[in-house]
């Protein structure tokens, strides 16, 4: 602990050492970040403002958008600032906060996606019991459980990681503070404690993944029994966005953490980390809005209403 207590800051991995490419990285991340803010902000505003969207499916989607906004806001702005000001430093406290908040949002998002698969299962396989099994109180409890589970997961991993003695420098081979990169700086066998927590985390993730797979097996069986083609299409259209988001989330995360060490390199790790930490929060709103006609219709009405007020607002001042 004496060695790690002397570390006041960590050095993050830069995307490039060339000034022109640093500025290019800044503008690229700025574009992605603004797209994520706009997309998730529109989803949140649309669901919050329209009473017809106050249903369990959209309530969970609202929470998902909040988590996406949070996760991308934890890593991208700091990386942009480092590229803009040509620095690599992040304070020890800032690094700990980044680890805690990132793990919280990522873990809570996966738990929430598991809950959303249950929502789709009940809606399609047990439609007559939908209002009973997914009442407003039950939805709030499930969403709160996802957030609380993410908080507990983040608290355990962050406390354990930053209690380890660090004596192998302060340079991280990542553009944000990530637990595996910090563990590489440990000079003690006590990192086995973190390995134990990681095993528990992997088992939990695997359990959630199995639950999602089983839910969709039951969903597809139920959809095949729907007699009308229009009914089957409607059922699939409500499931495909969630399935696409889960696939993107799981595939990028698994590739980032389970890829063979033989193909690992700092540049590849950097690209993969962008795929699982930056791309999903920016793409998720697009996935849901493209396949959800109801969400698109409400968003179109809100945009038309805002546009109409913007045009007619100044002219209405001339009338008594």
């Amino acid at each position: 602990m004496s060695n790690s207590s002397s570390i006041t800051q960590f050095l993050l991995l830069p995307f490039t050492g060339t000034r022109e490419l640093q500025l290019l990285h800044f503008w690229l991340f700025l574009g992605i970040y603004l797209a994520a803010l706009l997309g998730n902000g529109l989803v949140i505003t649309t669901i919050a403002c329209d009473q017809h969207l106050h249903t369990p499916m959209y309530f969970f989607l609202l929470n998902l958008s909040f988590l996406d906004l949070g996760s991308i806001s934890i890593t991208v702005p700091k990386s942009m600032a480092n590229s803009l000001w040509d620095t690599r430093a992040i304070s020890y406290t800032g690094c700990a906060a980044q680890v805690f908040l990132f793990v919280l949002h990522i873990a809570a998002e996966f738990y929430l996606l598991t809950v959303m698969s249950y929502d789709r299962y009940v809606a399609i396989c047990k439609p007559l019991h939908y209002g009973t099994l997914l009442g407003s109180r039950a939805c709030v409890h499930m969403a709160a459980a996802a957030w609380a589970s993410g908080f507990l997961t983040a608290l355990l991993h962050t406390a354990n990681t930053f209690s380890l003695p660090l004596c192998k420098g302060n340079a991280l081979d990542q553009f944000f503070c990530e637990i595996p990169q910090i563990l590489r700086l440990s000079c003690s066998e006590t990192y086995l404690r973190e390995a134990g927590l990681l095993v528990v985390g992997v088992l939990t993730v695997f359990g959630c993944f199995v639950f999602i797979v089983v839910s969709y097996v039951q969903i597809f069986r139920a959809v095949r029994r729907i007699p009308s083609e229009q009914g089957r299409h409607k059922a699939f259209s409500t499931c495909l966005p969630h399935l696409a988001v889960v696939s993107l989330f799981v595939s990028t995360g698994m590739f980032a953490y389970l890829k063979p060490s033989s193909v690992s390199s700092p540049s590849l790790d950097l690209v993969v980390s962008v795929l699982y930490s930056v791309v999903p929060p920016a793409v998720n709103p697009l996935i849901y809005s493209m396949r959800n006609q109801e969400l698109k219709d409400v968003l179109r009405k809100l945009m038309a209403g805002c546009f109409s007020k913007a045009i007619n607002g100044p002219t209405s001042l001339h009338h008594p």
Side-chain angles (χ1 to χ4, degrees):
M1 288 298 295
S2 60
N3 289 329
S4 61
S5 63
S6 63
I7 297 179
T8 59
Q9 66 178 14
F10 291 94
L11 299 179
L12 300 175
L13 181 67
F15 277 82
T16 176
T18 307
R19 186 57 184 161
E20 290 77 11
L21 293 178
Q22 286 178 341
L23 294 177
L24 177 63
H25 159 248
F26 168 80
W27 289 110
L28 178 62
F29 263 35
L30 178 63
I32 296 174
Y33 186 55
L34 291 178
L37 290 180
L38 178 62
N40 287 288
L42 286 175
V43 170
I44 292 170
T45 304
T46 302
I47 295 173
C49 292
D50 194 276
Q51 292 289 335
H52 297 94
L53 300 183
H54 292 180
T55 63
M57 182 178 74
Y58 291 107
F59 171 73
F60 294 134
L61 179 57
L62 180 75
N63 279 269
L64 182 67
S65 293
F66 274 117
L67 286 169
D68 282 336
L69 274 180
S71 64
I72 198 170
S73 298
I74 292 161
T75 58
V76 169
K78 177 59 179 175
S79 180
M80 289 166 51
N82 283 359
S83 289
L84 185 63
W85 302 113
D86 192 19
T87 181
R88 298 175 55 189
I90 182 172
S91 67
Y92 186 92
T93 305
C95 187
Q98 196 175 65
V99 167
F100 174 78
L101 292 173
F102 185 74
V103 174
L104 188 158
H105 284 78
I106 292 297
E109 181 163 338
F110 190 63
Y111 298 142
L112 185 66
L113 288 172
T114 306
V115 171
M116 292 173 76
S117 70
Y118 175 71
D119 166 67
R120 291 299 84 209
Y121 164 75
V122 175
I124 294 174
C125 299
K126 299 179 181 294
L128 298 179
H129 301 282
Y130 190 74
T132 305
L133 295 174
L134 286 165
S136 58
R137 181 174 296 181
C139 291
V140 170
H141 287 169
M142 285 188 282
W147 282 89
S149 299
F151 178 86
L152 181 61
T153 301
L155 186 64
L156 289 173
H157 284 286
T158 305
N160 193 64
T161 300
F162 285 91
S163 68
L164 300 177
L166 308 177
C167 63
K168 296 181 181 179
N170 64 341
L172 304 176
D173 290 334
Q174 188 57 275
F175 77 96
F176 66 96
C177 288
E178 191 180 39
I179 289 178
Q181 299 297 330
I182 298 174
L183 292 180
R184 293 180 182 179
L185 305 180
S186 175
C187 54
S188 170
E189 293 299 322
T190 52
Y191 70 85
L192 291 175
R193 290 182 302 167
E194 178 63 25
L197 282 177
L198 288 175
V199 169
V200 173
V202 167
L203 291 176
T204 304
V205 169
F206 181 73
C208 291
F209 181 71
V210 169
F211 182 88
I212 294 173
V213 171
V214 172
S215 297
Y216 270 99
V217 168
Q218 298 299 320
I219 287 171
F220 290 145
R221 285 179 177 175
V223 169
R224 289 180 61 186
R225 292 194 296 265
I226 297 177
S228 66
E229 184 178 348
Q230 184 178 2
R232 290 194 296 270
H233 177 75
K234 183 177 180 181
F236 272 125
S237 66
T238 62
C239 293
L240 286 179
H242 174 258
L243 193 57
V245 169
V246 170
S247 301
L248 179 65
F249 185 88
V250 172
S251 61
T252 53
M254 287 180 63
F255 185 73
Y257 288 101
L258 300 180
K259 67 181 184 296
S261 57
S262 58
V263 300
S264 181
S265 66
S267 57
L268 179 61
D269 291 345
L270 201 60
V271 173
V272 171
S273 64
V274 171
L275 288 178
Y276 89 89
S277 65
V278 177
V279 173
V283 174
N284 286 350
L286 183 63
I287 293 175
Y288 267 98
S289 61
M290 281 179 63
R291 296 291 305 181
N292 194 311
Q293 189 60 43
E294 190 177 20
L295 189 63
K296 287 193 290 186
D297 290 341
V298 174
L299 180 59
R300 194 177 296 113
K301 289 179 183 178
L302 286 177
M303 296 292 288
C306 293
F307 186 70
S308 176
K309 288 181 181 179
I311 293 178
N312 299 327
T315 59
S316 63
L317 296 176
H318 298 289
H319 297 286

